[in-house]
Amino acid sequence: EPVRHFAVPLNFYSRETLELAREAGYGSVCTSDDGTSHAGTDPYRIKRFIVEGSYDLAGFRRSLEPRVIVQRRILNAMKKLPPRLLGERLWMPLRERIFATPLGPWLSFRHLRRALLLGSALALAALLTITLLALYRNVP
């Protein structure tokens, strides 16, 4: 059977990867960019819902909850910052090295989600503290 479509493993790809897939004659490229695809989606940048290998059935069900999908989208937006700031040529080799270190397994959605929740809680606590201090200083 001829291979007509290409799936990017671990989302290690660049614009050049997509261009090469098109030139090689692939009909589409399925990325690991989290999200949904629709009829108007670029066939060379198909998004998908990432199911991590550590999921059991209950974890998979939780991953479909609206609040978790929102958290996933926030994390994905944050993950897109380094390649935008550094450029794909610098970022991709650096990303591969980071994932090859002992830190790599901690960069899963499950762990990053906990960090996001903790960071959000700390930011909210700091904002409330600053607001209360400002109010306290203005009270005669």
Side-chain angles (χ1 to χ4, degrees), residues 96-131:
E96 287 183 48
R97 285 190 208 133
I98 292 169
F99 273 92
T101 69
L103 180 63
W106 291 93
L107 299 176
S108 69
F109 174 72
R110 185 181 64 183
H111 292 100
L112 291 174
R113 180 174 163 253
R114 288 181 184 152
L116 174 67
L117 292 172
L118 178 61
S120 297
L122 291 173
L124 181 60
L127 182 62
L128 288 172
T129 301
I130 291 168
T131 303

mmCIF file of all heavy atoms in Angstrom, residues 96-131:
data_model
loop_
_atom_site.group_PDB
_atom_site.id
_atom_site.type_symbol
_atom_site.label_atom_id
_atom_site.label_comp_id
_atom_site.label_asym_id
_atom_site.label_seq_id
_atom_site.Cartn_x
_atom_site.Cartn_y
_atom_site.Cartn_z
ATOM 1 N N GLU A 96 14.551 19.243 21.498
ATOM 2 C CA GLU A 96 14.935 17.825 21.497
ATOM 3 C C GLU A 96 15.883 17.524 22.648
ATOM 4 O O GLU A 96 15.744 16.496 23.317
ATOM 5 C CB GLU A 96 15.572 17.451 20.163
ATOM 6 C CG GLU A 96 14.565 17.373 19.030
ATOM 7 C CD GLU A 96 15.201 16.935 17.730
ATOM 8 O OE1 GLU A 96 15.950 15.929 17.754
ATOM 9 O OE2 GLU A 96 14.951 17.596 16.709
ATOM 10 N N ARG A 97 16.834 18.419 22.877
ATOM 11 C CA ARG A 97 17.778 18.215 23.991
ATOM 12 C C ARG A 97 17.062 18.253 25.330
ATOM 13 O O ARG A 97 17.354 17.474 26.223
ATOM 14 C CB ARG A 97 18.877 19.272 23.948
ATOM 15 C CG ARG A 97 19.880 19.016 22.870
ATOM 16 C CD ARG A 97 21.073 19.944 23.014
ATOM 17 N NE ARG A 97 21.623 20.144 21.686
ATOM 18 C CZ ARG A 97 21.959 21.301 21.178
ATOM 19 N NH1 ARG A 97 21.849 22.400 21.885
ATOM 20 N NH2 ARG A 97 22.432 21.390 19.959
ATOM 21 N N ILE A 98 16.128 19.198 25.489
ATOM 22 C CA ILE A 98 15.385 19.313 26.750
ATOM 23 C C ILE A 98 14.597 18.034 27.017
ATOM 24 O O ILE A 98 14.600 17.498 28.124
ATOM 25 C CB ILE A 98 14.450 20.543 26.727
ATOM 26 C CG1 ILE A 98 15.265 21.825 26.734
ATOM 27 C CG2 ILE A 98 13.471 20.504 27.895
ATOM 28 C CD1 ILE A 98 14.464 23.087 26.437
ATOM 29 N N PHE A 99 13.916 17.516 25.981
ATOM 30 C CA PHE A 99 13.118 16.303 26.163
ATOM 31 C C PHE A 99 13.986 15.078 26.428
ATOM 32 O O PHE A 99 13.510 14.097 26.984
ATOM 33 C CB PHE A 99 12.206 16.065 24.953
ATOM 34 C CG PHE A 99 10.898 16.780 25.076
ATOM 35 C CD1 PHE A 99 10.742 18.054 24.551
ATOM 36 C CD2 PHE A 99 9.817 16.200 25.721
ATOM 37 C CE1 PHE A 99 9.539 18.732 24.666
ATOM 38 C CE2 PHE A 99 8.612 16.868 25.850
ATOM 39 C CZ PHE A 99 8.476 18.135 25.316
ATOM 40 N N ALA A 100 15.254 15.116 26.037
ATOM 41 C CA ALA A 100 16.159 13.991 26.272
ATOM 42 C C ALA A 100 16.752 14.007 27.676
ATOM 43 O O ALA A 100 17.367 13.036 28.097
ATOM 44 C CB ALA A 100 17.277 14.003 25.235
ATOM 45 N N THR A 101 16.549 15.091 28.424
ATOM 46 C CA THR A 101 17.080 15.196 29.781
ATOM 47 C C THR A 101 16.096 14.577 30.768
ATOM 48 O O THR A 101 14.957 14.259 30.417
ATOM 49 C CB THR A 101 17.308 16.669 30.177
ATOM 50 O OG1 THR A 101 16.026 17.311 30.317
ATOM 51 C CG2 THR A 101 18.164 17.404 29.161
ATOM 52 N N PRO A 102 16.494 14.440 32.026
ATOM 53 C CA PRO A 102 15.555 13.942 33.044
ATOM 54 C C PRO A 102 14.330 14.845 33.219
ATOM 55 O O PRO A 102 13.307 14.417 33.728
ATOM 56 C CB PRO A 102 16.396 13.919 34.327
ATOM 57 C CG PRO A 102 17.807 13.780 33.847
ATOM 58 C CD PRO A 102 17.861 14.546 32.545
ATOM 59 N N LEU A 103 14.420 16.090 32.764
ATOM 60 C CA LEU A 103 13.286 17.010 32.831
ATOM 61 C C LEU A 103 12.193 16.624 31.833
ATOM 62 O O LEU A 103 11.008 16.901 32.039
ATOM 63 C CB LEU A 103 13.766 18.434 32.555
ATOM 64 C CG LEU A 103 12.745 19.562 32.576
ATOM 65 C CD1 LEU A 103 12.146 19.696 33.969
ATOM 66 C CD2 LEU A 103 13.395 20.857 32.151
ATOM 67 N N GLY A 104 12.558 15.965 30.739
ATOM 68 C CA GLY A 104 11.638 15.614 29.664
ATOM 69 C C GLY A 104 10.319 14.999 30.107
ATOM 70 O O GLY A 104 9.251 15.478 29.729
ATOM 71 N N PRO A 105 10.338 13.926 30.927
ATOM 72 C CA PRO A 105 9.072 13.313 31.348
ATOM 73 C C PRO A 105 8.169 14.250 32.157
ATOM 74 O O PRO A 105 6.963 14.058 32.204
ATOM 75 C CB PRO A 105 9.515 12.126 32.205
ATOM 76 C CG PRO A 105 10.905 11.822 31.760
ATOM 77 C CD PRO A 105 11.493 13.144 31.348
ATOM 78 N N TRP A 106 8.751 15.257 32.762
ATOM 79 C CA TRP A 106 7.966 16.202 33.564
ATOM 80 C C TRP A 106 7.258 17.239 32.695
ATOM 81 O O TRP A 106 6.504 18.055 33.190
ATOM 82 C CB TRP A 106 8.857 16.891 34.597
ATOM 83 C CG TRP A 106 9.309 15.937 35.651
ATOM 84 C CD1 TRP A 106 10.467 15.219 35.665
ATOM 85 C CD2 TRP A 106 8.578 15.532 36.800
ATOM 86 N NE1 TRP A 106 10.500 14.406 36.765
ATOM 87 C CE2 TRP A 106 9.353 14.584 37.489
ATOM 88 C CE3 TRP A 106 7.331 15.892 37.323
ATOM 89 C CZ2 TRP A 106 8.934 13.984 38.664
ATOM 90 C CZ3 TRP A 106 6.914 15.307 38.504
ATOM 91 C CH2 TRP A 106 7.706 14.363 39.156
ATOM 92 N N LEU A 107 7.500 17.195 31.397
ATOM 93 C CA LEU A 107 6.882 18.156 30.491
ATOM 94 C C LEU A 107 5.597 17.621 29.863
ATOM 95 O O LEU A 107 5.101 18.173 28.897
ATOM 96 C CB LEU A 107 7.880 18.573 29.409
ATOM 97 C CG LEU A 107 9.132 19.257 29.945
ATOM 98 C CD1 LEU A 107 10.115 19.539 28.824
ATOM 99 C CD2 LEU A 107 8.780 20.537 30.691
ATOM 100 N N SER A 108 5.056 16.564 30.441
ATOM 101 C CA SER A 108 3.786 16.023 29.954
ATOM 102 C C SER A 108 2.657 16.966 30.370
ATOM 103 O O SER A 108 2.809 17.789 31.282
ATOM 104 C CB SER A 108 3.534 14.632 30.541
ATOM 105 O OG SER A 108 3.280 14.731 31.935
ATOM 106 N N PHE A 109 1.527 16.839 29.704
ATOM 107 C CA PHE A 109 0.381 17.693 30.009
ATOM 108 C C PHE A 109 -0.007 17.579 31.475
ATOM 109 O O PHE A 109 -0.295 18.570 32.129
ATOM 110 C CB PHE A 109 -0.813 17.350 29.111
ATOM 111 C CG PHE A 109 -2.056 18.101 29.488
ATOM 112 C CD1 PHE A 109 -2.160 19.457 29.232
ATOM 113 C CD2 PHE A 109 -3.104 17.467 30.128
ATOM 114 C CE1 PHE A 109 -3.298 20.165 29.602
ATOM 115 C CE2 PHE A 109 -4.238 18.163 30.500
ATOM 116 C CZ PHE A 109 -4.334 19.514 30.230
ATOM 117 N N ARG A 110 -0.001 16.357 31.999
ATOM 118 C CA ARG A 110 -0.415 16.146 33.392
ATOM 119 C C ARG A 110 0.428 16.981 34.351
ATOM 120 O O ARG A 110 -0.097 17.656 35.230
ATOM 121 C CB ARG A 110 -0.300 14.657 33.733
ATOM 122 C CG ARG A 110 -0.819 14.319 35.115
ATOM 123 C CD ARG A 110 -0.665 12.865 35.389
ATOM 124 N NE ARG A 110 0.768 12.576 35.405
ATOM 125 C CZ ARG A 110 1.279 11.377 35.559
ATOM 126 N NH1 ARG A 110 0.504 10.335 35.652
ATOM 127 N NH2 ARG A 110 2.568 11.192 35.589
ATOM 128 N N HIS A 111 1.740 16.967 34.166
ATOM 129 C CA HIS A 111 2.611 17.728 35.061
ATOM 130 C C HIS A 111 2.524 19.227 34.801
ATOM 131 O O HIS A 111 2.506 20.027 35.736
ATOM 132 C CB HIS A 111 4.054 17.236 34.930
ATOM 133 C CG HIS A 111 4.253 15.861 35.461
ATOM 134 N ND1 HIS A 111 4.312 14.768 34.636
ATOM 135 C CD2 HIS A 111 4.380 15.394 36.728
ATOM 136 C CE1 HIS A 111 4.480 13.688 35.367
ATOM 137 N NE2 HIS A 111 4.518 14.034 36.640
ATOM 138 N N LEU A 112 2.485 19.611 33.533
ATOM 139 C CA LEU A 112 2.388 21.041 33.210
ATOM 140 C C LEU A 112 1.063 21.625 33.671
ATOM 141 O O LEU A 112 0.999 22.780 34.078
ATOM 142 C CB LEU A 112 2.575 21.254 31.706
ATOM 143 C CG LEU A 112 3.977 20.978 31.177
ATOM 144 C CD1 LEU A 112 4.002 21.080 29.660
ATOM 145 C CD2 LEU A 112 4.994 21.909 31.812
ATOM 146 N N ARG A 113 0.006 20.822 33.617
ATOM 147 C CA ARG A 113 -1.308 21.283 34.077
ATOM 148 C C ARG A 113 -1.259 21.606 35.565
ATOM 149 O O ARG A 113 -1.770 22.624 36.016
ATOM 150 C CB ARG A 113 -2.354 20.204 33.798
ATOM 151 C CG ARG A 113 -3.733 20.588 34.228
ATOM 152 C CD ARG A 113 -4.738 19.516 33.769
ATOM 153 N NE ARG A 113 -5.947 19.673 34.508
ATOM 154 C CZ ARG A 113 -6.354 18.856 35.467
ATOM 155 N NH1 ARG A 113 -5.663 17.787 35.772
ATOM 156 N NH2 ARG A 113 -7.465 19.090 36.112
ATOM 157 N N ARG A 114 -0.613 20.747 36.333
ATOM 158 C CA ARG A 114 -0.471 21.010 37.778
ATOM 159 C C ARG A 114 0.315 22.283 38.019
ATOM 160 O O ARG A 114 -0.037 23.087 38.877
ATOM 161 C CB ARG A 114 0.204 19.819 38.453
ATOM 162 C CG ARG A 114 -0.682 18.616 38.553
ATOM 163 C CD ARG A 114 0.013 17.482 39.241
ATOM 164 N NE ARG A 114 -0.840 16.308 39.234
ATOM 165 C CZ ARG A 114 -0.390 15.076 39.247
ATOM 166 N NH1 ARG A 114 0.909 14.838 39.257
ATOM 167 N NH2 ARG A 114 -1.225 14.055 39.241
ATOM 168 N N ALA A 115 1.389 22.485 37.247
ATOM 169 C CA ALA A 115 2.191 23.705 37.387
ATOM 170 C C ALA A 115 1.366 24.932 37.016
ATOM 171 O O ALA A 115 1.451 25.970 37.682
ATOM 172 C CB ALA A 115 3.442 23.611 36.513
ATOM 173 N N LEU A 116 0.549 24.817 35.963
ATOM 174 C CA LEU A 116 -0.313 25.919 35.551
ATOM 175 C C LEU A 116 -1.311 26.251 36.656
ATOM 176 O O LEU A 116 -1.518 27.419 36.987
ATOM 177 C CB LEU A 116 -1.054 25.563 34.260
ATOM 178 C CG LEU A 116 -2.098 26.575 33.776
ATOM 179 C CD1 LEU A 116 -1.424 27.870 33.353
ATOM 180 C CD2 LEU A 116 -2.905 25.997 32.623
ATOM 181 N N LEU A 117 -1.926 25.231 37.235
ATOM 182 C CA LEU A 117 -2.898 25.460 38.298
ATOM 183 C C LEU A 117 -2.234 26.100 39.511
ATOM 184 O O LEU A 117 -2.764 27.040 40.094
ATOM 185 C CB LEU A 117 -3.583 24.145 38.688
ATOM 186 C CG LEU A 117 -4.497 23.539 37.628
ATOM 187 C CD1 LEU A 117 -4.965 22.155 38.059
ATOM 188 C CD2 LEU A 117 -5.685 24.435 37.350
ATOM 189 N N LEU A 118 -1.062 25.606 39.878
ATOM 190 C CA LEU A 118 -0.335 26.173 41.017
ATOM 191 C C LEU A 118 0.085 27.607 40.723
ATOM 192 O O LEU A 118 -0.098 28.498 41.555
ATOM 193 C CB LEU A 118 0.888 25.313 41.340
ATOM 194 C CG LEU A 118 1.762 25.814 42.486
ATOM 195 C CD1 LEU A 118 0.970 25.862 43.789
ATOM 196 C CD2 LEU A 118 2.984 24.933 42.638
ATOM 197 N N GLY A 119 0.615 27.833 39.513
ATOM 198 C CA GLY A 119 1.022 29.186 39.131
ATOM 199 C C GLY A 119 -0.153 30.149 39.111
ATOM 200 O O GLY A 119 -0.047 31.287 39.565
ATOM 201 N N SER A 120 -1.299 29.679 38.617
ATOM 202 C CA SER A 120 -2.504 30.526 38.592
ATOM 203 C C SER A 120 -2.961 30.848 40.004
ATOM 204 O O SER A 120 -3.351 31.979 40.291
ATOM 205 C CB SER A 120 -3.628 29.818 37.828
ATOM 206 O OG SER A 120 -3.262 29.615 36.492
ATOM 207 N N ALA A 121 -2.930 29.854 40.874
ATOM 208 C CA ALA A 121 -3.332 30.075 42.263
ATOM 209 C C ALA A 121 -2.392 31.071 42.937
ATOM 210 O O ALA A 121 -2.842 31.968 43.671
ATOM 211 C CB ALA A 121 -3.356 28.753 43.027
ATOM 212 N N LEU A 122 -1.089 30.937 42.692
ATOM 213 C CA LEU A 122 -0.123 31.873 43.280
ATOM 214 C C LEU A 122 -0.313 33.278 42.730
ATOM 215 O O LEU A 122 -0.244 34.259 43.482
ATOM 216 C CB LEU A 122 1.305 31.386 43.028
ATOM 217 C CG LEU A 122 1.718 30.115 43.778
ATOM 218 C CD1 LEU A 122 3.088 29.647 43.305
ATOM 219 C CD2 LEU A 122 1.701 30.336 45.275
ATOM 220 N N ALA A 123 -0.561 33.395 41.439
ATOM 221 C CA ALA A 123 -0.791 34.714 40.826
ATOM 222 C C ALA A 123 -2.055 35.349 41.392
ATOM 223 O O ALA A 123 -2.077 36.555 41.694
ATOM 224 C CB ALA A 123 -0.893 34.579 39.305
ATOM 225 N N LEU A 124 -3.101 34.569 41.567
ATOM 226 C CA LEU A 124 -4.341 35.079 42.142
ATOM 227 C C LEU A 124 -4.120 35.531 43.584
ATOM 228 O O LEU A 124 -4.581 36.600 43.982
ATOM 229 C CB LEU A 124 -5.440 34.021 42.075
ATOM 230 C CG LEU A 124 -6.799 34.429 42.618
ATOM 231 C CD1 LEU A 124 -7.359 35.633 41.865
ATOM 232 C CD2 LEU A 124 -7.776 33.265 42.537
ATOM 233 N N ALA A 125 -3.394 34.734 44.354
ATOM 234 C CA ALA A 125 -3.101 35.101 45.744
ATOM 235 C C ALA A 125 -2.291 36.394 45.796
ATOM 236 O O ALA A 125 -2.554 37.275 46.631
ATOM 237 C CB ALA A 125 -2.348 33.975 46.439
ATOM 238 N N ALA A 126 -1.308 36.538 44.902
ATOM 239 C CA ALA A 126 -0.501 37.764 44.859
ATOM 240 C C ALA A 126 -1.361 38.959 44.488
ATOM 241 O O ALA A 126 -1.250 40.031 45.098
ATOM 242 C CB ALA A 126 0.645 37.594 43.867
ATOM 243 N N LEU A 127 -2.236 38.798 43.520
ATOM 244 C CA LEU A 127 -3.126 39.882 43.100
ATOM 245 C C LEU A 127 -4.057 40.297 44.237
ATOM 246 O O LEU A 127 -4.250 41.491 44.487
ATOM 247 C CB LEU A 127 -3.939 39.445 41.874
ATOM 248 C CG LEU A 127 -4.873 40.486 41.278
ATOM 249 C CD1 LEU A 127 -4.087 41.696 40.790
ATOM 250 C CD2 LEU A 127 -5.665 39.881 40.130
ATOM 251 N N LEU A 128 -4.613 39.331 44.937
ATOM 252 C CA LEU A 128 -5.490 39.640 46.080
ATOM 253 C C LEU A 128 -4.711 40.352 47.184
ATOM 254 O O LEU A 128 -5.207 41.302 47.785
ATOM 255 C CB LEU A 128 -6.140 38.368 46.611
ATOM 256 C CG LEU A 128 -7.229 37.757 45.734
ATOM 257 C CD1 LEU A 128 -7.661 36.401 46.283
ATOM 258 C CD2 LEU A 128 -8.419 38.694 45.643
ATOM 259 N N THR A 129 -3.495 39.898 47.449
ATOM 260 C CA THR A 129 -2.669 40.517 48.488
ATOM 261 C C THR A 129 -2.361 41.970 48.132
ATOM 262 O O THR A 129 -2.488 42.870 48.966
ATOM 263 C CB THR A 129 -1.360 39.724 48.667
ATOM 264 O OG1 THR A 129 -1.684 38.379 49.020
ATOM 265 C CG2 THR A 129 -0.483 40.343 49.738
ATOM 266 N N ILE A 130 -1.974 42.202 46.887
ATOM 267 C CA ILE A 130 -1.667 43.569 46.434
ATOM 268 C C ILE A 130 -2.916 44.445 46.525
ATOM 269 O O ILE A 130 -2.847 45.596 46.975
ATOM 270 C CB ILE A 130 -1.108 43.546 44.995
ATOM 271 C CG1 ILE A 130 0.278 42.901 44.999
ATOM 272 C CG2 ILE A 130 -1.071 44.940 44.385
ATOM 273 C CD1 ILE A 130 0.813 42.551 43.625
ATOM 274 N N THR A 131 -4.065 43.901 46.119
ATOM 275 C CA THR A 131 -5.317 44.659 46.179
ATOM 276 C C THR A 131 -5.673 44.997 47.617
ATOM 277 O O THR A 131 -6.039 46.142 47.921
ATOM 278 C CB THR A 131 -6.470 43.845 45.528
ATOM 279 O OG1 THR A 131 -6.101 43.540 44.182
ATOM 280 C CG2 THR A 131 -7.772 44.615 45.550
#
